[in-house]
């Protein structure tokens, strides 16, 4: 992948070649999304044996298909829980009513999802789901098993909780993690302050409507700790009511699949709504799937997973050309309200909310490697606090958003919490985080950053916008691969470490074969200038390589250094995979200068004020003069187009006296003791040329000689003419002024003098100015 690859600071392949997660200040991490979908993603979708075969007939085919499905209800499930598949042979099937599957272990399979395959047409004008799988139900909790979570805060990403008692709990138990809604939580996320108008009085959120039950399965019991497969995706916080655990149950059907079918709805016009709305809907289904199906012309969805659906996979399905008016509650191409579901490889055209979750969705859920074209609204969580969704490698020509929708839709409010956009592409994206209790992430997004429906909301966590080459490309696939295959990736850290200006360190996440650590196996690029220097390389320990560059001067601020490894293998003979380049941006070590926006004269006693963040020198330089080097600044001073003052204490105002310089607009600069030159200050000074210009060129022609010690300044004018002598300190303050003087003079020095003084002599119409050092 070379130099274009980079890794997130939040999830990356760390030491040992494993995915590493960086916690935030509260311990929250991006969750592991890999255990979603059919059989937690541990098994491929099965190929279930055919038991019944159906062919199309003249007229309505609904009865014959339904009869074939129900004929399998009396079959005994095999050892894997399947009763068999109903195969619909190629042809066109007209269905005036609705098909349903209400028992476990049934697969409905066609023989092609195109026009030449198995085509099911929803006829008539009934607004309905064509194929309904399962039935609505509800979660049951055993109140006698209730235990409290004793920790003050359980962060996002954790897969265990500490409870008041584990008595009666065992591996394999189905549990519900309960997070109560509280008034102070509603207040802290400002959902009791939703905007409203007299025409549309939006509904403020009520705590009782936001009690969340997260379904999990116990994988281990250890002392007072319960472990489970899937992570916490909403922090459990004592400040917001804490959390509790119950044993739970849900009467779902399972092991059902819909495969290889084309679904169509009849319609009378582009905005006709008197026809079938959804091709396939799962209600109360777990461990089911919809694979290789295409829908045409339905007003709402191709596949919708209801709130009761859990651990289902929607794979390689397509939603095409819906027919409806284009407004709310329509064209939700792939819709999810349940938990632990996976949508992978799906595609849409002309939808509104193409890959979308509903309200109060408990998650985690995943949409990965999906494509949307010609969408009429946005992708993402739609409303009212959907939690823990990964939108992974989504490609759209529209918007991908998570935001506070405020009063939209009568109080949608915060659409989602702990949402992760990973390596997505779109025209634009909004990613805002709630005011409290959750974050949203947008990592590697290709497209514009938008402000959202409402301004003034906290920004989400953004990383690498419009930066190509995010690795891994798919977070879901990387997490799944590591979990199932214990994958180790030999890679480098994308961040090069600076040990000093001439020494840098590249970190590998597996031990390196020392024999290959030679300069020939590394290339240097970037804009720092180091790419033009020879370097030496040494293995500092098993994981780290150091690069030493000789004769390094000041590196340009904000320039880049990129080191790319090639032909390197680990001690286990693993080749580099993923990232092979590490980069470092030279920090802006320049001083920062501020000045005074002011207009002053060039007469004696006039001055401006500047500050620098580093010890050194501050300059006032006329705009338009060269300003790249210290020599440029000194030349401007020599030609009466600049002044300077020494900085001995940082961030303290220093006067720069403007006597004798040309009028004009002047910029402020600073140079630190290492010679780093600041950018120009935001402030400017305007110098009004009301006094004479001091000709520093006369200094070169004068025969003035000065000698100073701790007590006296000896002046030898080298002229028979009388002279006027003025003595200044480095800040331009007048220390002494003589009357007319002749010949050599000794002047007593004040006790508060500086190590350098400025002497000005006016004689016979000529001005001489010199600095003198005191010994």
């Amino acid at each position: 992948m070379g130099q274009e690859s980079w890794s997130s600071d939040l999830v990356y392949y760390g030491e040992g070649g494993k995915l590493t997660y960086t916690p935030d200040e509260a311990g929250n991490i991006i969750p592991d999304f890999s255990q979603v979908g059919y059989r937690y993603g541990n098994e491929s979708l099965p190929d279930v044996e055919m038991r019944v075969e159906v062919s199309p007939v003249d007229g309505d085919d609904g009865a014959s298909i339904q009869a074939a499905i129900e004929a399998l209800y009396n079959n005994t499930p095999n050892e894997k829980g399947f009763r068999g598949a109903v195969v619909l042979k190629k042809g066109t099937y007209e269905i005036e009513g609705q098909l349903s599957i209400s028992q476990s272990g049934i697969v409905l399979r066609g023989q092609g999802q195109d026009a030449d395959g198995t085509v099911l047409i929803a006829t008539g004008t009934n607004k309905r789901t064509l194929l309904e799988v399962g039935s609505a139900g509800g979660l049951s909790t055993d109140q006698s098993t209730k235990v409290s979570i004793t920790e003050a805060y359980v962060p996002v990403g954790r897969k265990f909780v500490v409870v008041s008692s584990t008595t009666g709990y065992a591996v394999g138990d189905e549990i519900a993690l309960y997070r109560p809604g509280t008034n102070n939580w509603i207040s802290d996320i400002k959902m009791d302050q939703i905007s409203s108008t007299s025409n549309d009085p939006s509904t403020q959120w009520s705590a009782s409507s936001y009690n969340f039950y997260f379904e999990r399965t116990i994988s281990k019991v250890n002392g007072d700790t319960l472990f489970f497969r899937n992570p916490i995706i909403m922090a459990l916080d004592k400040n917001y009511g804490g959390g509790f655990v119950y044993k739970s149950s849900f009467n779902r059907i399972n092991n059902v699949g819909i495969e290889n079918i084309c679904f169509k709805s009849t319609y009378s016009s582009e905005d006709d709504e008197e026809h079938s709305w959804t091709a396939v809907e799962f209600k109360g289904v777990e461990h089911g799937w919809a694979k290789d199906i295409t829908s045409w012309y339905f007003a709402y969805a191709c596949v919708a997973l209801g709130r009761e659906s859990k651990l289902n996979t929607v794979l390689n399905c397509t939603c095409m050309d819906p027919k409806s008016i284009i407004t709310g509650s329509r064209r939700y191409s792939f819709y999810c309200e349940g938990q632990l579901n996976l949508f992978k490889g799906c595609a849409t055209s002309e939808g509104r909310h193409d890959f979308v979750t509903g309200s109060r969705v408990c998650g985690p859920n995943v949409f990965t490697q999906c494509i949307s074209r010609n969408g009429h609204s946005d992708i993402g969580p739609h409303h009212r606090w959907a939690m823990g969704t990964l939108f992974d490698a989504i490609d759209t020509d529209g918007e991908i958003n998570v935001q506070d929708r405020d009063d939209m839709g009568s109080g949608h409010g915060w659409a989602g919490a702990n949402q992760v956009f990973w390596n997505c592409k779109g025209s634009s994206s909004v990613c805002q985080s709630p005011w409290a209790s959750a974050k949203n992430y947008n990592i590697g997004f290709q497209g514009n950053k938008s402000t959202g429906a409402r301004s003034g909301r906290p920004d989400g966590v953004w990383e690498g916008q419009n930066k190509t080459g995010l690795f891994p490309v798919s977070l879901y696939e990387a997490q799944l691969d590591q979990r199932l295959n214990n994958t180790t990736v030999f890679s480098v850290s994308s961040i090069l470490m600076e040990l000093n200006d001439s020494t840098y360190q590249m970190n590998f996440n597996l031990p390196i074969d020392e024999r290959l650590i030679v300069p020939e196996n590394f290339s240097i690029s970037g804009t720092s200038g180091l790419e033009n220097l020879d370097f030496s390389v040494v293995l500092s320990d098993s994981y780290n390589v150091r690069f030493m560059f000789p004769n390094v001067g000041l590196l340009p601020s904000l320039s880049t250094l990129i080191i790319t490894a090639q032909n390197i293998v680990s001690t286990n003979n693993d080749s580099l995979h993923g990232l092979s380049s590490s980069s470092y941006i030279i920090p802006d070590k320049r001083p920062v200068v501020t000045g005074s926006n002011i207009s002053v004269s060039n007469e004696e006693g006039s001055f401006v004020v500047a500050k620098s963040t580093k010890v050194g020198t501050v300059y006032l330089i006329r705009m338009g003069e060269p300003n790249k080097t210290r020599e440029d600044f000194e030349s401007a001073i020599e030609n009466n187009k600049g002044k300077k003052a020494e900085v001995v204490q940082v961030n303290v105002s220093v006067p720069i006296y403007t006597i004798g310089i040309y009028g004009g607009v002047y910029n402020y600069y600073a140079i630190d003791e290492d010679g780093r030159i600041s950018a120009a200050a935001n402030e400017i000074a305007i110098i009004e040329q009301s006094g004479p210009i001091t000709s520093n060129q006369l200094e070169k022609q004068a025969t003035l000689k000065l000698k100073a010690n701790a007590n006296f300044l000896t002046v030898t004018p080298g002229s028979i003419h009388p002279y006027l002598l003025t003595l200044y300190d480095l800040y331009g303050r007048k220390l002494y002024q003589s009357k007319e003087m002749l010949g050599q003079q000794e002047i007593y020095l004040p006790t508060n003098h500086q190590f350098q003084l400025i002497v000005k002599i006016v004689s016979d119409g000529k001005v001489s100015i010199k600095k003198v050092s005191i010994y």
Side-chain angles (χ1 to χ4, degrees), residues 137-263:
L139 180 73
S140 297
T141 57
D142 184 346
Q143 296 295 311
S144 68
T145 64
K146 178 181 179 181
V147 292
S148 61
I149 295 171
T150 60
E151 298 169 277
Y153 188 87
V154 182
V156 173
R158 277 259 302 267
K159 294 183 180 180
F160 64 88
V161 291
V162 180
V163 294
S164 56
S165 173
T166 58
T167 301
Y169 283 90
V171 173
D173 284 349
E174 298 294 322
I175 62 171
L177 301 173
Y178 172 62
R179 182 189 186 276
T182 63
N183 290 329
N184 66 318
W185 174 67
I186 296 290
S187 178
D188 284 353
I189 61 174
K190 301 187 180 182
M191 292 295 95
D192 56 355
Q193 303 172 40
I194 296 174
S195 304
S196 63
T197 67
S198 57
N199 295 326
D200 181 18
S202 294
T203 303
Q204 308 299 320
W205 290 11
S206 61
S208 61
S209 298
Y210 289 83
N211 298 321
F212 300 128
Y213 292 87
F214 303 93
E215 294 187 64
R216 299 292 184 266
T217 303
I218 293 180
S219 58
K220 178 181 176 182
V221 180
N222 184 14
D224 58 359
T225 305
L226 299 175
F227 295 80
F228 30 83
R229 290 173 179 264
N230 271 285
I232 299 289
I233 48 83
M234 182 67 199
L236 304 173
D237 189 340
K238 285 287 188 184
N239 293 323
Y240 298 128
F244 303 88
V245 178
Y246 302 85
K247 287 187 180 182
S248 65
S249 60
F250 204 127
N251 187 27
R252 297 181 173 98
I253 68 170
N254 57 63
N255 292 327
V256 291
I258 313 301
E259 303 175 350
N260 210 21
I261 299 173
C262 176
F263 293 86

Side-chain angles (χ1 to χ4, degrees), residues 333-383:
S333 308
F334 292 95
Y335 181 62
C336 179
E337 285 189 318
Q339 305 182 36
L340 308 172
N341 295 301
L342 171 67
F343 294 76
K344 180 179 178 180
C346 297
T348 74
S349 177
E350 301 294 341
R352 288 185 64 251
H353 300 296
D354 286 322
F355 308 110
V356 62
T357 53
S359 68
R360 295 170 279 243
V361 175
C362 286
N365 291 291
V366 174
F367 295 88
T368 181
Q369 302 164 64
C370 297
I371 297 174
S372 166
R373 290 293 181 265
N374 306 315
H376 296 280
S377 192
D378 60 353
I379 288 167
H382 187 47
H383 67 129

Side-chain angles (χ1 to χ4, degrees), residues 533-580:
L533 300 179
D534 292 332
F535 63 93
S536 58
V537 59
V538 63
L539 186 67
S540 58
D541 60 44
S542 298
Y543 292 88
N544 294 289
V545 177
R546 289 186 181 176
F547 301 82
M548 285 76 70
F549 297 86
N551 305 317
V552 175
L554 292 178
L555 301 178
S557 297
L558 306 180
S559 60
T560 58
L561 169 63
I562 302 170
I563 301 181
T564 301
Q566 52 218 6
N567 305 319
I568 303 295
V569 299
S570 73
T571 53
N572 292 328
N573 207 35
D574 301 300
S575 298
L576 275 173
H577 179 70
L579 303 186
S580 59

Side-chain angles (χ1 to χ4, degrees), residues 286-544:
E286 65 179 341
H287 299 306
W289 68 91
K291 180 181 75 169
D292 297 328
I293 68 173
T294 297
S295 71
W296 290 84
Y297 317 133
F298 291 85
Y300 191 74
C302 175
V303 179
L305 302 184
R307 191 170 302 279
E308 307 85 5
S309 292
K310 167 186 163 188
L311 291 165
N312 298 294
T313 293
V314 180
L315 179 65
N316 299 336
C317 296
T318 304
C319 183
M320 298 295 294
D321 204 9
K323 303 301 180 185
S324 71
I325 60 174
I326 301 175
T327 189
S329 301
R330 292 152 176 87
R331 305 192 185 202
Y332 287 45
S333 308
F334 292 95
Y335 181 62
C336 179
E337 285 189 318
Q339 305 182 36
L340 308 172
N341 295 301
L342 171 67
F343 294 76
K344 180 179 178 180
C346 297
T348 74
S349 177
E350 301 294 341
R352 288 185 64 251
H353 300 296
D354 286 322
F355 308 110
V356 62
T357 53
S359 68
R360 295 170 279 243
V361 175
C362 286
N365 291 291
V366 174
F367 295 88
T368 181
Q369 302 164 64
C370 297
I371 297 174
S372 166
R373 290 293 181 265
N374 306 315
H376 296 280
S377 192
D378 60 353
I379 288 167
H382 187 47
H383 67 129
R384 292 180 174 87
W385 207 263
M387 294 160 284
T389 316
L390 172 63
F391 294 87
D392 180 57
I394 303 298
D395 182 343
T396 178
D397 54 7
E399 302 175 14
I400 303 178
N401 298 329
V402 54
Q403 60 183 318
D404 178 10
R405 291 171 58 84
D406 195 37
D407 61 335
M408 299 169 72
S410 297
H412 280 182
W414 281 107
N418 300 316
Q419 307 288 292
V420 179
F421 298 162
W422 181 277
N423 203 29
C424 295
K425 181 188 298 183
S427 62
S428 65
S429 180
V430 179
C431 182
Q432 300 171 338
S433 285
W435 282 284
S437 77
K439 292 181 179 178
N440 293 310
Y441 303 84
N442 199 336
I443 300 171
F445 178 70
Q446 303 295 304
N448 295 320
K449 182 178 180 180
S450 296
T451 57
R454 302 291 183 267
S455 62
R457 274 54 177 174
D459 210 6
V461 179
W462 288 75
E463 187 182 18
Q465 182 195 359
N466 287 326
K467 186 176 180 182
T468 59
L470 175 59
F471 180 78
V473 173
S474 165
L475 178 60
Y476 167 74
E477 293 294 345
Q479 291 176 329
L480 182 67
D481 187 36
Q482 180 168 293
R483 184 171 64 81
L484 295 184
N485 304 318
N486 199 30
T487 304
T488 295
V489 172
F490 182 38
S491 179
V492 301
S493 169
S494 61
I495 300 173
L496 195 66
M497 181 181 298
E498 181 196 44
L499 303 183
N500 54 55
D501 283 345
S502 61
T503 306
Y504 297 84
Q505 184 165 284
M506 173 183 271
N507 172 254
F508 290 77
N509 62 6
L510 293 176
I512 316 157
D513 187 334
E514 184 175 7
R515 296 169 298 174
L516 301 175
I517 306 307
V518 294
E520 291 75 19
N521 283 339
F522 300 91
S523 61
I524 313 298
S525 58
T527 59
S528 67
L530 294 177
E531 63 273 16
N532 300 317
L533 300 179
D534 292 332
F535 63 93
S536 58
V537 59
V538 63
L539 186 67
S540 58
D541 60 44
S542 298
Y543 292 88
N544 294 289

Side-chain angles (χ1 to χ4, degrees), residues 603-607 657-659 728 732:
E603 298 181 276
E604 186 174 312
S606 297
F607 63 91
Y657 284 83
T658 58
I659 182 172
Y728 300 90

